[in-house]
mmCIF file of all heavy atoms in Angstrom:
data_model
loop_
_atom_site.group_PDB
_atom_site.id
_atom_site.type_symbol
_atom_site.label_atom_id
_atom_site.label_comp_id
_atom_site.label_asym_id
_atom_site.label_seq_id
_atom_site.Cartn_x
_atom_site.Cartn_y
_atom_site.Cartn_z
ATOM 1 N N PHE A 20 -92.922 -10.667 57.389
ATOM 2 C CA PHE A 20 -93.514 -12.019 57.703
ATOM 3 C C PHE A 20 -92.568 -13.169 57.327
ATOM 4 O O PHE A 20 -92.959 -14.241 56.913
ATOM 5 C CB PHE A 20 -94.860 -12.233 56.920
ATOM 6 C CG PHE A 20 -95.865 -11.120 57.346
ATOM 7 C CD1 PHE A 20 -96.102 -10.030 56.478
ATOM 8 C CD2 PHE A 20 -96.548 -11.247 58.550
ATOM 9 C CE1 PHE A 20 -97.021 -9.080 56.914
ATOM 10 C CE2 PHE A 20 -97.480 -10.250 58.913
ATOM 11 C CZ PHE A 20 -97.723 -9.206 58.063
ATOM 12 N N ALA A 21 -91.263 -12.900 57.505
ATOM 13 C CA ALA A 21 -90.228 -13.865 57.057
ATOM 14 C C ALA A 21 -90.370 -15.258 57.626
ATOM 15 O O ALA A 21 -90.138 -16.219 56.917
ATOM 16 C CB ALA A 21 -88.827 -13.311 57.428
ATOM 17 N N ARG A 22 -90.834 -15.414 58.833
ATOM 18 C CA ARG A 22 -90.913 -16.708 59.469
ATOM 19 C C ARG A 22 -92.346 -17.281 59.515
ATOM 20 O O ARG A 22 -92.630 -18.180 60.248
ATOM 21 C CB ARG A 22 -90.365 -16.629 60.870
ATOM 22 C CG ARG A 22 -88.897 -16.205 60.969
ATOM 23 C CD ARG A 22 -88.370 -16.295 62.352
ATOM 24 N NE ARG A 22 -87.162 -15.704 62.791
ATOM 25 C CZ ARG A 22 -85.998 -15.652 62.168
ATOM 26 N NH1 ARG A 22 -85.875 -16.142 61.047
ATOM 27 N NH2 ARG A 22 -84.949 -15.109 62.732
ATOM 28 N N GLU A 23 -93.205 -16.698 58.750
ATOM 29 C CA GLU A 23 -94.626 -17.141 58.707
ATOM 30 C C GLU A 23 -95.018 -17.717 57.364
ATOM 31 O O GLU A 23 -94.416 -17.440 56.347
ATOM 32 C CB GLU A 23 -95.541 -15.970 59.095
ATOM 33 C CG GLU A 23 -95.290 -15.484 60.509
ATOM 34 C CD GLU A 23 -96.217 -14.345 60.881
ATOM 35 O OE1 GLU A 23 -97.487 -14.514 60.699
ATOM 36 O OE2 GLU A 23 -95.749 -13.317 61.353
ATOM 37 N N ASN A 24 -96.066 -18.475 57.402
ATOM 38 C CA ASN A 24 -96.663 -19.055 56.165
ATOM 39 C C ASN A 24 -97.316 -17.852 55.466
ATOM 40 O O ASN A 24 -98.364 -17.343 55.880
ATOM 41 C CB ASN A 24 -97.735 -20.110 56.560
ATOM 42 C CG ASN A 24 -98.402 -20.645 55.348
ATOM 43 O OD1 ASN A 24 -98.795 -20.008 54.428
ATOM 44 N ND2 ASN A 24 -98.567 -21.985 55.409
ATOM 45 N N LYS A 25 -96.769 -17.496 54.301
ATOM 46 C CA LYS A 25 -97.249 -16.325 53.579
ATOM 47 C C LYS A 25 -98.703 -16.520 53.122
ATOM 48 O O LYS A 25 -99.499 -15.562 53.147
ATOM 49 C CB LYS A 25 -96.371 -16.036 52.345
ATOM 50 C CG LYS A 25 -94.909 -15.895 52.614
ATOM 51 C CD LYS A 25 -94.548 -14.691 53.384
ATOM 52 C CE LYS A 25 -93.044 -14.424 53.392
ATOM 53 N NZ LYS A 25 -92.203 -15.465 53.930
ATOM 54 N N SER A 26 -99.086 -17.677 52.747
ATOM 55 C CA SER A 26 -100.459 -17.891 52.297
ATOM 56 C C SER A 26 -101.459 -17.651 53.439
ATOM 57 O O SER A 26 -102.493 -17.060 53.286
ATOM 58 C CB SER A 26 -100.630 -19.338 51.776
ATOM 59 O OG SER A 26 -99.903 -19.508 50.606
ATOM 60 N N SER A 27 -101.065 -18.079 54.674
ATOM 61 C CA SER A 27 -101.880 -17.909 55.776
ATOM 62 C C SER A 27 -102.002 -16.427 56.115
ATOM 63 O O SER A 27 -103.094 -15.930 56.446
ATOM 64 C CB SER A 27 -101.280 -18.670 56.974
ATOM 65 O OG SER A 27 -102.045 -18.476 58.149
ATOM 66 N N VAL A 28 -100.906 -15.699 56.054
ATOM 67 C CA VAL A 28 -100.909 -14.311 56.302
ATOM 68 C C VAL A 28 -101.805 -13.541 55.344
ATOM 69 O O VAL A 28 -102.641 -12.697 55.745
ATOM 70 C CB VAL A 28 -99.455 -13.682 56.311
ATOM 71 C CG1 VAL A 28 -99.493 -12.197 56.401
ATOM 72 C CG2 VAL A 28 -98.646 -14.316 57.419
ATOM 73 N N VAL A 29 -101.674 -13.835 54.072
ATOM 74 C CA VAL A 29 -102.423 -13.169 53.010
ATOM 75 C C VAL A 29 -103.913 -13.502 53.242
ATOM 76 O O VAL A 29 -104.777 -12.646 53.107
ATOM 77 C CB VAL A 29 -101.969 -13.534 51.621
ATOM 78 C CG1 VAL A 29 -102.942 -13.080 50.592
ATOM 79 C CG2 VAL A 29 -100.581 -13.049 51.365
ATOM 80 N N ALA A 30 -104.280 -14.753 53.545
ATOM 81 C CA ALA A 30 -105.648 -15.137 53.769
ATOM 82 C C ALA A 30 -106.196 -14.356 54.977
ATOM 83 O O ALA A 30 -107.346 -13.832 54.918
ATOM 84 C CB ALA A 30 -105.778 -16.628 54.060
ATOM 85 N N ARG A 31 -105.432 -14.207 56.050
ATOM 86 C CA ARG A 31 -105.891 -13.444 57.186
ATOM 87 C C ARG A 31 -106.070 -11.999 56.878
ATOM 88 O O ARG A 31 -107.101 -11.393 57.251
ATOM 89 C CB ARG A 31 -104.849 -13.661 58.347
ATOM 90 C CG ARG A 31 -105.326 -13.015 59.706
ATOM 91 C CD ARG A 31 -104.353 -13.258 60.814
ATOM 92 N NE ARG A 31 -103.196 -12.418 60.575
ATOM 93 C CZ ARG A 31 -101.926 -12.759 60.517
ATOM 94 N NH1 ARG A 31 -101.662 -14.084 60.553
ATOM 95 N NH2 ARG A 31 -100.949 -11.916 60.354
ATOM 96 N N LEU A 32 -105.134 -11.419 56.133
ATOM 97 C CA LEU A 32 -105.277 -10.019 55.746
ATOM 98 C C LEU A 32 -106.492 -9.782 54.861
ATOM 99 O O LEU A 32 -107.227 -8.780 54.998
ATOM 100 C CB LEU A 32 -104.025 -9.558 55.053
ATOM 101 C CG LEU A 32 -102.780 -9.423 55.958
ATOM 102 C CD1 LEU A 32 -101.549 -9.184 55.089
ATOM 103 C CD2 LEU A 32 -102.948 -8.420 57.020
ATOM 104 N N MET A 33 -106.774 -10.726 53.968
ATOM 105 C CA MET A 33 -107.969 -10.640 53.098
ATOM 106 C C MET A 33 -109.193 -10.697 53.928
ATOM 107 O O MET A 33 -110.190 -9.899 53.672
ATOM 108 C CB MET A 33 -107.922 -11.773 52.032
ATOM 109 C CG MET A 33 -106.811 -11.529 50.998
ATOM 110 S SD MET A 33 -106.743 -12.883 49.781
ATOM 111 C CE MET A 33 -108.181 -12.615 48.840
ATOM 112 N N MET A 34 -109.278 -11.560 54.902
ATOM 113 C CA MET A 34 -110.459 -11.639 55.782
ATOM 114 C C MET A 34 -110.631 -10.370 56.572
ATOM 115 O O MET A 34 -111.762 -9.925 56.733
ATOM 116 C CB MET A 34 -110.398 -12.915 56.688
ATOM 117 C CG MET A 34 -110.666 -14.175 56.009
ATOM 118 S SD MET A 34 -112.248 -14.208 55.054
ATOM 119 C CE MET A 34 -113.424 -13.833 56.313
#
Side-chain angles (χ1 to χ4, degrees):
F20 300 102
R22 299 187 194 318
E23 296 183 49
N24 178 318
K25 306 292 190 305
S26 294
S27 176
V28 172
V29 170
R31 187 177 74 238
L32 293 171
M33 289 175 75
M34 284 307 302

